[in-house]
Amino acid sequence: MDADDRQLVWQLLHEHRWAALAVTDAEGAAQVSFVAFALGPAGDLILHLSELAAHTRHLRRDPRAALGISAADEGGEDPQRLPRIALQGALERIPREAETYQGLRQRYLQRLPAAARLFSFGDFSLYVYKIYKARYVGGFGKAHSISGEELRKLATTNTTH
């Protein structure tokens, strides 16, 4: 992966806040929802999910999930040329009494300040999405597999060069 692709991966994780979340329901069928996210200090993602949502119920049964993040389609060029990344990992619920909770909450609210009111609702919980691996596509002929470790390292650097 060249420096331009590393920069695009960095941008997808740092500049975007909205992702498609794919989970498996109790019958084994795939289900997709859309969720807000913030980048955590270790390069994993922070999600704030309602415990009442179907995707959260499915995640309590099986925490494995995929997340898809794409550059915005602004109607210009071929959308298949848009940079995008598909993440594979699992979610871990962070209890309010955990020592990491307040720091993760603060980081989430820095990216998504409009979510502040949701933290007063009893049915919302913070989750950390632990990334196992990723597949980055930067357009035709530009696809790379990335380990979770490599992706977290790239995500937590100040520059990608």
Side-chain angles (χ1 to χ4, degrees):
M1 189 162 48
D2 65 22
D4 288 341
D5 286 325
R6 286 193 303 276
Q7 179 66 32
L8 288 169
V9 169
W10 189 93
Q11 288 174 322
L12 287 169
L13 296 173
H14 283 265
E15 297 176 3
H16 294 267
R17 306 178 305 167
W18 197 238
L21 170 70
V23 299
T24 305
D25 69 17
E27 289 78 39
Q31 180 186 50
V32 175
S33 300
F34 292 88
V35 296
F37 72 90
L39 188 64
D44 288 308
L45 303 182
I46 307 164
L47 284 69
H48 191 227
L49 304 176
S50 171
E51 298 295 330
L52 303 176
H55 56 258
T56 307
R57 288 193 309 273
H58 299 314
L59 288 166
R60 282 195 305 262
R61 183 187 47 74
D62 182 352
R64 294 174 302 164
L67 276 170
I69 305 165
S70 174
D73 177 9
E74 297 178 1
E77 59 184 70
D78 181 354
Q80 292 188 49
R81 296 182 58 126
L82 294 171
R84 57 211 181 259
I85 193 163
L87 308 172
Q88 292 180 12
L91 281 108
E92 175 187 341
R93 186 177 172 278
I94 307 300
R96 290 180 191 235
E97 60 276 3
E99 68 179 59
T100 59
Y101 182 88
Q102 288 303 324
L104 293 170
R105 178 184 184 274
Q106 180 180 2
R107 193 160 180 119
Y108 186 86
L109 289 174
Q110 284 174 334
R111 284 294 289 149
L112 298 144
R117 66 182 179 79
L118 299 176
F119 279 87
S120 65
F121 295 0
D123 66 300
F124 274 79
S125 297
L126 271 181
Y127 287 81
V128 171
Y129 181 74
K130 300 286 186 182
I131 301 166
Y132 298 155
K133 62 183 176 178
R135 184 74 175 160
Y136 163 76
V137 179
F140 289 118
K142 293 185 81 174
H144 303 280
S145 295
I146 308 168
S147 71
E149 180 180 342
E150 181 183 358
L151 186 66
R152 285 187 295 278
K153 182 178 177 183
L154 185 133
T156 55
T157 58
N158 289 330
T159 63
T160 57
H161 301 3

